[in-house]
Amino acid sequence: MTDRYATVPEATRFHLDCRWQPADADPAGRLLFELWNLGATPVESFRLAFTTLRFAGHDPAADNARLLDRRGYFHEVAPPDGLRLAPGDVWRFSLGDIAGAPQHRGEGIVSAYMTLADGARWPVTVGDLRHEASGQGAAAGPAVYALTPWPAEAELTPSDRLPGYLVPADGATADELSAVSTMTALFRRLFPLEPVPFSLMALPGDRLLRFASDAALGREAYRLDFRDDDVLLTAAGPAGRQYGLTALGQLSRGARAGCRFPAHGHIADAARFAWRGCHLDTARRFFSVADVARFLDILAYLRLNIFHWHLSDDEAWRLEIRGYPELTSIGSQRGPEAALPPQLGDGHHSSGGFYSHADVRALVAQAARLNIGIVPEIDIPGHGTAALAALPALADPDEPAGAYASVQGFANNALNPAVGLTWTVLGAVFDDLAELFPSPYLHVGGDEVAEGAWLFSPLARRLMADLGVDGAEALQSHFMRKVQAMLGQRGRKLAGWNEVGNGDGVETEGTLLTVWQKAAIGAGLARRGYDIVMAPAEAYYLDMARSSDWDEAGMSWAGATSLEAAYAYEVGDDIPADLLPKLKGIQACIWTELIASRAHFNHLVFPRLAAVAEAGWTPTARKDWSRFQGLVRFCPTL
């Protein structure tokens, strides 16, 4: 996997739009700029640096600005003395004597940053290069609207014109302008060759965007009213506003590619489920921070709101833990000479990688800006080979080698609850998880503990005797109840795979179980009082092959899942009506044993992820396979 971003996208604080204006006296014309302060505090005595192919001369007849420096494509300008930008204010200026008239949208501002009075530098979100002809032209094609997932209610009349850019009307707050800038940056990252749907600079042919607030709407709900001269977006808060802007961006993007934009009508929309998740296994395969950041962008575009981040497994431990650097210095490395041998796809080359605390904080911040919660998973007590390789003292020294093996063939791979160090290490792990991730849930795995785990450990046998229990299932229940108490001490709730409920399970209050096995297991857990998220392997495991053809890539143990099958699966059919309040949502899962390239990832995950997203958002009665088939071409890929 190769990086798509130099860094994780940062918060929107400043936004720069640019327009080219022809001039009779100079065929090259001028560049007109608008710099918006979208932060919470005023700024003054600042400098703006930007790069553009159409560089200005050293005497550019600057209007309302001073050109401080110009070297090649680099420019640095400053406002007139005394200019102060309050939150929501705009500084307008222009430069002439530019190096030729731009011929394409991409010849505008490529990148920009601000230097504040204290020397701090801030990135600046950059819009498209605008010109007077923007937004003109006739729309073509049937009345198809590019919306994925499809909204709960849509009554729309198509326009016969392209919408131009969507521009906030005068009076928009700094928060509203910032939301538009954030969506501008999102669309630019996902579709770098396409026009962005939004601008803060209004030109003829644009569609004005107005905002309203309605506390009666749900947190994620929004309403769009398409009127003669503008579009009104109503929401209760940031999440609904983001989803409304995302829908508008999708409509605008689709209209440029043969679909239509509404002239009149409305969309009234809200999510079907509160939990609309996607899991990603970064233990078997390491994904760069940049790839995880792009994946978060894709989840936001599809209105998925939970990222279940699988950070440890037999094959690797991927999260930095203070006090136990061996977990990553040893546990994240595989190779012929390493403590962990090569696994699928490694060959004779070493492989490795882990996420530092700084990496995690940056990704958690990005997710929060996109109204996505990150739920981290450290898989215990099974799937622990990497942790045991990094910290051999976690094992009972008297347990025979090869006493038992997991379904994947890893011997003696369960953390031992009778070893004192187990709880010391887990305490440190939970401390770091609680500090790094604001999620109310911490996922602790609990799946696929081997049937014979601990039975040949003298320490574990003595513990079972002391507890009056027998067998791996009973000891796992004891283990998980102790884990649940430790999480509670840190203000967090336990999430786990459905096996956490095996035997006596854990306390049901506040526990969330991800059901990947048979649907009947989910119904049984709900009947016992557990909240559940359905992630059925036969429909929502996106590492499964898309067909049973011999030449098709992917896993096979849960069967093959076509796009149509993933779209048609209905989780509500598997849960009795009286238990539906315990069904909190659905989740796709992406395991990565066989995913060795970006091409393979995209082949398996897309567009099936969009099918799961629509199942999580759209009411069953509003789903339409034929419509969905025609719209999946608009979905982004990694």
Side-chain angles (χ1 to χ4, degrees), residues 100-121:
Q103 302 299 309
H104 303 286
R105 173 174 49 84
E107 295 177 1
I109 307 305
V110 179
S111 60
Y113 66 87
M114 290 272 284
T115 303
L116 302 186
D118 62 0
R121 291 191 175 95

Side-chain angles (χ1 to χ4, degrees), residues 148 191 253 301-302 606-607 610 628 631-637:
T148 305
F191 312 107
R253 179 170 172 256
Y301 185 84
L302 295 173
F606 307 108
F628 178 79
L631 296 179
V632 293
R633 62 190 173 99
F634 292 108
C635 292
T637 58

Side-chain angles (χ1 to χ4, degrees), residues 113-402:
Y113 66 87
M114 290 272 284
T115 303
L116 302 186
D118 62 0
R121 291 191 175 95
W122 281 81
V124 174
T125 302
V126 176
D128 282 346
L129 179 64
R130 307 295 309 278
H131 69 129
E132 289 289 355
S134 296
Q136 302 303 309
V144 176
Y145 304 101
L147 287 167
T148 305
W150 194 254
E153 178 182 315
E155 297 182 7
L156 304 170
T157 301
S159 173
D160 59 0
R161 305 287 290 175
L162 294 175
Y165 287 70
L166 297 158
V167 180
D170 291 344
T173 67
D175 284 346
E176 291 160 351
L177 294 172
S178 180
V180 173
S181 184
T182 296
M183 285 297 101
T184 296
L186 173 71
F187 275 80
R188 184 178 295 285
R189 293 193 300 267
L190 290 177
F191 312 107
L193 299 182
E194 302 180 23
V196 294
F198 306 100
S199 178
L200 300 188
M201 175 183 281
L203 293 180
D206 290 338
R207 197 76 177 264
L208 290 180
L209 176 58
R210 302 186 190 279
F211 294 90
S213 179
D214 184 352
L217 294 176
R219 192 184 72 86
E220 296 185 313
Y222 67 91
R223 181 182 174 96
L224 293 169
D225 289 286
F226 299 88
R227 309 183 295 199
D228 287 338
D229 300 320
D230 60 22
V231 180
L232 176 65
L233 193 169
T234 305
R241 183 170 56 209
Q242 174 189 305
Y243 295 144
L245 288 171
T246 304
L248 281 172
Q250 290 178 346
L251 285 167
S252 177
R253 179 170 172 256
R256 298 175 187 271
C259 296
R260 304 294 283 275
F261 193 86
H264 299 98
H266 74 273
I267 292 172
D269 203 8
R272 179 186 179 192
F273 289 116
W275 185 290
R276 305 179 306 283
C278 186
H279 152 287
L280 179 64
D281 169 17
T282 61
R284 274 61 176 260
R285 308 277 178 175
F286 181 72
F287 287 68
S288 70
V289 171
D291 277 330
V292 177
R294 180 172 176 84
F295 195 58
L296 290 172
D297 282 347
I298 293 170
L299 300 186
Y301 185 84
L302 295 173
R303 284 176 259 164
L304 293 164
N305 66 347
I306 298 292
F307 175 49
H308 175 166
W309 194 358
H310 190 77
L311 288 162
S312 78
D313 217 295
D314 290 301
E315 292 86 346
W317 182 287
R318 300 295 190 193
L319 179 65
E320 174 190 6
I321 300 297
R322 290 174 302 188
Y324 293 97
E326 305 96 324
L327 285 170
T328 48
S329 65
I330 298 173
S332 73
Q333 305 297 314
R334 301 195 298 254
E337 308 301 326
L340 295 172
Q343 292 295 340
L344 297 168
D346 287 338
H348 68 283
H349 297 290
S350 297
S351 69
F354 67 92
Y355 304 101
S356 69
H357 284 198
D359 294 334
V360 171
R361 289 191 183 96
L363 289 166
V364 167
Q366 182 203 356
R369 291 192 294 272
L370 297 173
N371 291 290
I372 294 170
I374 298 183
V375 178
E377 180 189 354
I378 296 297
D379 200 351
I380 55 175
H383 290 283
T385 299
L388 288 159
L391 300 170
L394 287 171
D396 180 348
D398 295 322
E399 182 178 66

Side-chain angles (χ1 to χ4, degrees), residues 61-123:
D63 178 41
N64 202 35
R66 293 175 288 131
L67 181 62
L68 304 177
D69 190 7
R70 202 277 292 163
R71 286 170 284 166
Y73 306 133
F74 173 84
H75 302 68
E76 188 168 43
V77 297
D81 290 339
L83 186 141
R84 182 175 186 269
L85 279 184
D89 279 357
V90 58
W91 168 38
R92 294 183 174 91
F93 65 96
S94 68
L95 299 176
D97 191 25
I98 63 174
Q103 302 299 309
H104 303 286
R105 173 174 49 84
E107 295 177 1
I109 307 305
V110 179
S111 60
Y113 66 87
M114 290 272 284
T115 303
L116 302 186
D118 62 0
R121 291 191 175 95
W122 281 81

Side-chain angles (χ1 to χ4, degrees), residues 483-560:
V483 165
Q484 187 174 46
M486 293 174 72
L487 297 181
Q489 291 165 3
R490 291 159 176 82
R492 297 295 190 272
K493 295 183 285 188
L494 184 149
W497 299 103
N498 56 252
E499 293 98 319
V500 170
N502 289 355
D504 291 336
V506 298
E507 295 295 330
T508 60
E509 182 67 27
T511 299
L512 182 73
L513 299 184
T514 311
V515 181
W516 65 277
Q517 293 177 314
K518 297 177 181 179
I521 292 176
L525 291 170
R527 182 73 66 191
R528 290 168 57 189
Y530 292 105
D531 289 338
I532 59 170
V533 168
M534 294 298 292
E538 69 270 26
Y540 292 168
Y541 267 40
L542 303 185
D543 54 311
M544 294 299 119
R546 303 190 310 183
S547 78
S548 58
D549 292 347
W550 179 260
D551 292 327
E552 179 61 40
M555 299 282 276
S556 62
W557 63 265

Side-chain angles (χ1 to χ4, degrees), residues 443-473:
H443 203 290
V444 293
D447 62 314
E448 297 182 324
V449 175
E451 184 175 345
W454 309 305
L455 298 185
F456 296 91
S457 160
L459 290 176
R461 295 298 304 179
R462 283 197 292 273
L463 177 61
M464 284 188 272
D466 291 343
L467 296 172
V469 302
D470 192 25
E473 187 174 274

